[in-house]
Amino acid sequence: MYNPKSLIAEEFISDEEIRDTLDYAERNKNNIELIEQILEKASPKKTGRGVECSGLSHREASVLLACEIPEMVEKMYSLASEIKQAFYGNRIVMFAPLYLSNYCVNQCVYCPYHYQNREIPRKKLTQEEIIAEVTALQDMGHKRLAIEAGEDPVNNPIEYILECINTIYSIKHKNGAIRRVNVNIAGTTVENYRKLKKAGIGTYILFQETYHKESYERLHPAGPKHNYAYHTEAMDRAMQGGIDDVGLGVLFGLDMYKYEFAGLLMHAEHLEAVHGVGPHTISVPRVKRASDIDPNVFDNSIDDDIFAKIIACIRIAVPYTGMIISTRENENCRNKVLGLGISQISGGSRTSVGGYAGYSNEERPHDTEQFDVSDQRSLDEVVKWLIDMDYIPSFCTACYREGRTGDRFMSLCKVGQIQNCCHPNALMTLQEYLEDYASQETKAVGEPLISREINKVTNPKVKAKTFENLIAIRNGNRDFRF
């Protein structure tokens, strides 16, 4: 029985409800009157508190995803862009992954870290190696990391993860510092989530991979991850452990994308129903080639057009949730979807354990990669690319450091007020990047962008303070925030 308030995985992610939803969507995919009503419901509305969006249910959003009427699809794209602009503006938050260890006891058939893979060398970073990796990332200009590790209670126990987080936060190199560490590790206990919270993590990220239970168990034939319920219920344990911000995601290509889409939104609805706040982020990775992994063996791959449509429909359905796209996708694909809802991207990424220190922008080790990196540009190249398209590359971590997380963040975001903080913070962190790390070509286009964008700050006091802080940054001061 479907129950979004249940804490039982098969009740808040109900196979029967998903199949009924997909049937309903198929029957109504050409129902223009209904589709128009859904789009109108989802449109931003000005209220006395600001701009608000109602979002959509998984069933309503599934109708949009099923619709193939060209003019309706264009309306979806236009609405997704409008919603993205209303709540996230033209800011794109930058981050990088840091792989700590590829030791893993699971046998996930889509991941090269699986236990039976004898082709890939196993490696675990020492704390000294982490210092070198983080220093290299700081030299690029990164302020926000997502740490990754395989599931191995012997080689990667929670104590190792906690030690790594402490080491990362302790490293200060020139003007560099990692100000937010997000964590992407296997589902664990409430007690361990409390430890991660105490360590000062940002977002806890865990991809479901697939919400279809039968497929999930087939794709995870052995290891702790085989337990569908334990994995699917992990976000509830994380929030019970005090973690405010959690990040969802599925690996598109493993199963039917319409099924995954409905399950993903049902999971978001469940978190809102039980904890009063939905996911802080949603990621949209696709299966990619890697050592021992051929993506062609999965027969549910999606092309770039369907991928873009999925992103647009997620943005319409959950307007306040950050959306992430990684360097799994190439430049052209990332360019296409930036305006449809994406608010965070990685840049200069390495998916190898120890992939940063000692390598130039052009060099990268491939022997321990989790997946092929399609966008291999340096961080500076990605930053300039964004600026050239009139986006603001943001290195901001202020909300996390000011306690604007969980429902406190969402209460501001849901009325469009978070931009009063985020817009000037993005400009100030971009100014830091330009001063400390940017090439002359990037600085030449970045300075005019900041000059244009500062005039969009509507609060006179905030605008004046931002001007003052930008001057201070140019004079060598750092780390201002609202």
Side-chain angles (χ1 to χ4, degrees):
M1 178 184 295
Y2 175 53
N3 180 4
K5 293 186 177 181
S6 172
L7 295 177
I8 299 172
E10 290 185 76
E11 292 182 359
F12 66 80
I13 304 293
S14 163
D15 177 73
E16 181 182 8
E17 171 63 20
I18 293 178
R19 293 188 184 281
D20 284 348
T21 293
L22 299 187
D23 179 64
Y24 174 81
E26 185 65 23
R27 286 186 282 109
N28 285 280
K29 66 180 183 180
N30 295 319
N31 186 339
I32 293 179
E33 182 180 0
L34 175 62
I35 293 166
E36 292 276 18
Q37 290 173 358
I38 292 172
L39 293 174
E40 173 57 28
K41 175 188 174 182
S43 298
K45 309 289 192 306
K46 289 187 177 181
T47 70
R49 299 195 305 159
V51 178
E52 298 185 39
C53 271
S54 66
L56 296 176
S57 70
H58 61 275
R59 185 161 291 212
E60 292 166 328
S62 292
V63 172
L64 297 186
L65 186 62
C67 174
E68 297 175 349
I69 303 169
E71 56 267 33
M72 291 294 104
V73 174
E74 285 305 312
K75 285 187 177 183
M76 292 176 212
Y77 286 0
S78 178
L79 178 56
S81 179
E82 181 184 356
I83 292 172
K84 173 17 174 91
Q85 186 65 32
F87 296 101
Y88 287 91
N90 59 340
R91 301 181 308 280
I92 302 293
V93 172
M94 309 302 301
F95 77 96
L98 174 59
Y99 283 76
L100 303 177
S101 170
N102 63 1
Y103 284 95
C104 192
V105 298
N106 290 309
Q107 292 188 21
C108 313
V109 302
Y110 51 83
C111 177
Y113 291 177
H114 68 85
Y115 181 75
Q116 291 179 312
N117 186 359
R118 299 294 182 258
E119 296 180 10
I120 193 168
R122 302 292 171 170
K123 185 173 182 179
K124 171 185 173 181
L125 296 180
T126 65
Q127 298 308 304
E128 290 73 23
E129 288 172 324
I130 288 172
I131 292 172
E133 289 287 283
V134 172
T135 300
L137 284 157
Q138 289 177 355
D139 278 339
M140 290 183 191
H142 279 294
K143 305 291 188 222
R144 176 189 300 240
L145 300 183
I147 60 173
E148 322 262 352
E151 184 170 12
D152 187 324
V154 174
N155 287 292
N156 312 327
I158 191 67
E159 291 75 19
Y160 171 69
I161 303 298
L162 296 170
E163 184 182 11
C164 292
I165 294 169
N166 183 63
T167 296
I168 292 166
Y169 277 136
S170 73
I171 302 164
K172 304 294 185 286
H173 171 65
K174 297 180 181 177
N175 285 329
I178 301 303
R179 299 170 179 168
R180 179 177 178 126
V181 177
N182 298 333
V183 174
N184 185 355
I185 61 170
T188 185
T189 63
V190 173
E191 181 57 32
N192 284 344
Y193 286 124
R194 290 196 181 103
K195 292 176 182 179
L196 289 170
K197 170 69 174 180
K198 187 176 180 180
I201 74 165
T203 304
Y204 173 67
I205 303 162
L206 184 66
F207 297 164
Q208 180 64 27
E209 320 300 2
T210 175
Y211 283 99
H212 187 266
K213 184 181 179 184
E214 183 180 334
S215 297
Y216 180 95
E217 292 174 345
R218 185 177 66 254
L219 291 162
H220 307 92
K225 198 169 178 176
H226 177 75
N227 188 329
Y228 174 85
Y230 190 79
H231 185 84
T232 310
E233 295 161 7
M235 293 308 189
D236 293 293
R237 296 194 301 278
M239 298 185 94
Q240 290 163 12
I243 294 176
D244 294 325
D245 294 339
V246 298
L248 303 179
V250 294
L251 187 54
F252 284 103
L254 295 182
D255 211 290
M256 299 174 292
Y257 73 89
K258 292 178 181 178
Y259 191 103
E260 306 294 16
F261 176 85
L264 182 63
L265 294 185
M266 288 167 69
H267 203 165
E269 291 165 1
H270 161 73
L271 295 178
E272 185 82 44
V274 174
H275 304 284
V277 59
H280 187 70
T281 59
I282 289 177
S283 298
V284 287
R286 286 191 284 184
V287 177
K288 293 292 179 179
R289 184 174 301 278
S291 166
D292 191 54
I293 304 298
D294 179 2
N296 295 320
V297 304
F298 303 100
D299 56 6
N300 291 290
S301 62
I302 54 175
D303 62 27
D304 287 355
D305 289 336
I306 293 175
F307 188 56
K309 192 177 177 186
I310 289 170
I311 289 169
C313 289
I314 292 174
R315 171 50 65 218
I316 295 169
V318 283
Y320 314 116
T321 297
M323 290 187 66
I324 301 174
I325 191 169
S326 75
T327 51
R328 283 176 182 263
E329 305 300 337
N330 61 36
E331 176 182 343
N332 290 335
C333 178
R334 301 218 291 179
N335 183 26
K336 181 175 182 176
V337 300
L338 277 175
L340 298 179
I342 296 299
S343 58
Q344 294 187 28
I345 69 171
S346 50
S349 301
R350 310 291 171 85
T351 67
S352 302
V353 180
Y356 296 103
Y359 296 97
S360 68
N361 288 331
E362 294 73 30
E363 298 175 309
R364 58 181 62 230
H366 297 289
D367 57 346
T368 61
E369 282 187 317
Q370 191 187 32
F371 57 84
D372 282 351
V373 173
S374 298
D375 188 344
Q376 298 194 1
R377 293 173 295 172
S378 68
L379 175 60
D380 191 69
E381 289 173 317
V382 173
V383 168
K384 182 178 184 299
W385 169 67
L386 290 171
I387 294 171
D388 285 339
M389 294 188 295
D390 218 29
Y391 289 105
I392 306 170
S394 174
F395 296 86
C396 179
T397 58
C399 284
Y400 155 70
R401 298 162 78 209
E402 291 293 324
R404 294 189 294 264
T405 58
D407 57 357
R408 294 174 293 284
F409 172 83
M410 286 298 175
S411 66
L412 291 170
C413 189
K414 286 182 177 181
V415 292
Q417 295 301 319
I418 199 69
Q419 291 210 54
N420 293 330
C421 304
C422 293
H423 194 78
N425 284 337
L427 297 178
M428 291 186 294
T429 58
L430 176 58
Q431 187 70 61
E432 286 185 343
Y433 177 83
L434 296 180
E435 296 296 324
D436 294 337
Y437 309 106
S439 64
Q440 288 303 310
E441 293 79 7
T442 300
K443 193 167 185 178
V445 294
E447 292 284 3
L449 176 77
I450 291 173
S451 297
R452 294 193 304 272
E453 291 291 334
I454 189 67
N455 292 316
K456 296 180 182 179
V457 179
T458 56
N459 185 305
K461 291 183 179 179
V462 173
K463 186 175 183 178
K465 188 64 177 177
T466 304
F467 266 121
E468 179 184 322
N469 290 345
L470 289 170
I471 292 170
I473 291 168
R474 294 185 188 109
N475 289 331
N477 296 296
R478 297 292 178 269
D479 201 10
F480 298 96
R481 61 184 184 270
F482 290 100

